[in-house]
């Protein structure tokens, strides 16, 4: 039985902590521990010892494959918005691009038994969000979720699917092809290890991750009792914006949206209303990401705000500004030109966009013709 914590950089140890189960608090404290080893909670020590080696080996084998990642609680790449949420997961298995978890996102959720009109609305809103440079997050479920993911993929945008299964298991099974497409072009995310089958108890947890990753949650259609309402409630509890599309009083899939509106969600009819609604929160995020420069122009701290992001230097902002042109440029070209990560670029571009210096169209970035440089 282990009596002290091994180094947090030890991947098998991280997997053992994730697979041990039980209360998150003692395990989070174990992953946050710095300095010399210290005694472990006795109950946690028993669970750590009981984790089967086969489970760890299965995870390690999955992680050896291309584009498969594990982002642990102590990892600097852990999504900062999600870290703000109460009961945030201790680790995320990611198939695809983990940098997407840092980019500004909107969640589009709703009924599995969606109407044709509801699916059309989900596609329209998802396309508009992608064209505004945002990531579309949802849960890979039938109905509204699938329509949002498919629309984002079809228009060349970015989408994140949060799963209530392992990252290698689609639910429903008919969405196995959609899961592959999301993993190839976006990111499929789960707090559950590879091989985990669908269990009803996992889906409320999935919903909290969707809500925690996004600046806001848009509910397109929802019955009076719906998982989408759980996502909306969790988003509101996390201080994020909640939007709901109204519908006919005779349509059962509109009742959940009407309930949200009565409870204070913003009634929206267009994607532009959603984008305007998240602007204040996005602005606060941009301000908290702004570099705190000292007398020498270097950042004076490494990020102490609630988003816990590393602050970028003035030099990084100048590098990005020089890389931008008046013709729209995709993110991968900016990464190549600047040598910066997509996560760092996304945070700086968001601030420049809100300042009116950068325009975003179809996920591509360009200088605004009327804007000066970031330090003009």
């Amino acid at each position: 039985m282990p009596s002290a914590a091994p180094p947090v950089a030890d991947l098998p140890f991280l997997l053992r902590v994730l697979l041990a189960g039980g209360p998150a608090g003692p395990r989070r404290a174990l992953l946050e521990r710095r300095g010399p080893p210290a005694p472990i909670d006795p109950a946690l020590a028993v669970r750590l010892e009981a984790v089967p080696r086969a489970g760890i080996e299965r995870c390690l084998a999955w992680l050896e494959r291309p584009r498969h990642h594990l982002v642990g609680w102590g990892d600097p790449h852990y999504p900062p918005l999600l870290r703000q949420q109460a009961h945030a997961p201790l680790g995320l298995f990611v198939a695809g691009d983990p940098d997407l978890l840092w980019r500004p996102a909107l969640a589009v959720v709703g009924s599995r038994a969606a109407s044709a009109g509801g699916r059309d609305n989900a596609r329209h809103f998802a396309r508009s969000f992608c064209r505004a440079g945002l990531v579309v997050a949802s849960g890979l479920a039938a109905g509204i979720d699938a329509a949002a993911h498919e629309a984002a993929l079809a228009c060349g945008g970015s989408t994140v699917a949060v799963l209530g299964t392992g990252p290698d298991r689609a639910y429903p099974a008919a969405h196995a092809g959609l899961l592959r497409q999301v993993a190839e072009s976006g990111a499929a995310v789960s707090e559950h290890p590879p091989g985990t089958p669908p269990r009803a108890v996992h889906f409320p947890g999935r919903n909290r991750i969707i809500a925690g990753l996004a600046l806001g949650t848009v509910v397109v259609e929802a019955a009076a009792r719906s998982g989408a309402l759980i996502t909306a409630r969790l988003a509101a509890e996390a201080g994020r914006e909640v939007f709901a599309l109204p519908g006919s009083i005779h349509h059962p899939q509109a009742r959940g949206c009407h309930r949200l509106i009565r409870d204070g969600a913003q009634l929206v009819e267009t994607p532009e209303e959603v984008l305007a609604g998240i602007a204040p929160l996005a602005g606060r995020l941009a301000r908290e990401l702004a570099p705190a420069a000292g007398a020498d122009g270097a950042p004076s701290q490494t990020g102490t705000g609630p988003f816990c992001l590393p602050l970028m230097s003035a030099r990084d902002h100048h590098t990005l500004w020089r890389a931008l042109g008046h013709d729209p440029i995709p993110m991968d070209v900016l990464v190549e030109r600047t040598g910066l990560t997509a996560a760092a670029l996304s945070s700086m571009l968001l601030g420049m966009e809100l300042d009116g210096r950068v325009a975003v169209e179809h996920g591509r970035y360009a200088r605004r013709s009327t804007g000066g440089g970031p330090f003009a």
Side-chain angles (χ1 to χ4, degrees):
M1 181 180 303
S3 59
V8 295
D10 184 339
L11 181 56
F13 170 67
L14 171 59
L15 289 168
R16 186 176 293 276
V17 172
L18 297 180
L19 299 180
R27 291 187 291 149
R28 182 176 290 109
L30 192 59
L31 295 176
E32 289 177 340
R33 184 171 295 161
R34 298 293 185 270
I40 296 177
D41 175 80
L44 175 56
V46 172
R47 291 196 303 275
L48 290 171
E49 184 67 17
V51 174
R53 178 65 190 174
I56 295 175
E57 291 176 348
R58 184 186 307 115
C59 292
L60 290 172
W62 184 85
L63 289 167
E64 288 177 354
R65 300 174 192 167
R67 291 175 59 81
H68 286 186
H69 310 271
L70 174 59
V71 182
W73 180 256
D75 193 312
H77 295 97
Y78 191 95
L81 278 179
L82 184 60
R83 191 186 292 277
Q84 280 193 305
Q85 190 185 52
H87 312 298
L90 299 181
L92 297 169
F93 294 89
V94 182
D97 182 3
D99 284 342
L100 291 183
L101 308 186
W102 281 55
R103 287 182 52 190
L106 278 167
V108 179
V109 298
S111 174
R112 289 178 170 84
S115 67
R119 293 193 298 272
D120 285 345
N121 286 335
R123 295 185 187 102
H124 172 55
F125 276 69
R127 283 193 299 267
S128 298
F129 298 154
C130 287
R131 288 166 182 162
L134 297 168
V135 174
V136 170
S138 198
L140 204 81
I144 297 301
D145 290 22
H149 289 307
E150 289 165 352
L153 292 168
C155 73
S158 298
T159 188
V160 169
V162 184
L163 311 177
T165 61
D168 56 343
R169 298 284 294 270
Y171 183 79
H175 285 180
L178 179 57
L179 176 58
R180 284 193 296 272
Q181 292 178 56
V182 170
E184 289 170 1
S185 301
V189 183
S190 177
E191 64 180 319
H192 305 291
T196 302
R199 299 187 180 107
V201 70
H202 288 168
F203 288 90
R206 174 205 63 176
N207 294 345
R208 90 187 190 284
I209 298 174
I210 296 173
L213 287 171
L215 291 169
T217 293
V218 181
V219 183
V220 177
E221 283 186 344
R225 295 176 60 86
S226 168
L229 301 186
I230 297 176
T231 307
R233 175 177 59 80
L234 294 169
E237 290 175 355
R240 313 298 163 76
E241 300 294 342
V242 178
F243 308 90
L245 275 65
S248 167
I249 61 172
H250 304 294
H251 182 23
Q253 300 303 329
R255 290 173 185 161
C257 291
H258 294 168
R259 173 181 159 189
L260 288 173
I261 294 166
R262 286 195 298 271
D263 291 344
Q266 295 188 46
L267 185 158
V268 291
E269 298 173 311
T270 68
E272 291 72 25
E273 291 172 325
V274 177
L275 296 174
I278 65 167
L281 179 57
R284 179 165 66 84
L285 169 60
R287 288 191 296 273
E288 288 171 347
L289 293 175
D296 60 355
S300 60
Q301 56 180 338
T302 58
T304 58
F307 292 98
C308 300
L309 288 178
L311 298 175
M312 274 61 73
S313 69
R315 179 180 299 174
D316 289 338
H317 282 74
H318 281 301
T319 298
L320 172 56
W321 187 252
R322 288 195 301 269
L324 287 164
H326 295 288
D327 294 323
I329 301 169
M331 177 64 76
D332 57 347
V333 173
L334 289 174
V335 169
E336 182 178 352
R337 288 183 180 181
T338 64
L340 300 169
T341 66
L345 290 171
S346 293
S347 64
M348 288 188 286
L349 287 164
L350 176 61
M352 291 180 182
E353 181 185 357
L354 292 169
D355 285 341
R357 295 184 169 94
V358 167
V360 184
E361 184 177 355
H362 304 291
R364 294 169 177 261
Y365 303 86
R367 296 184 186 186
R368 284 192 182 274
S369 58
T370 58
F375 303 100

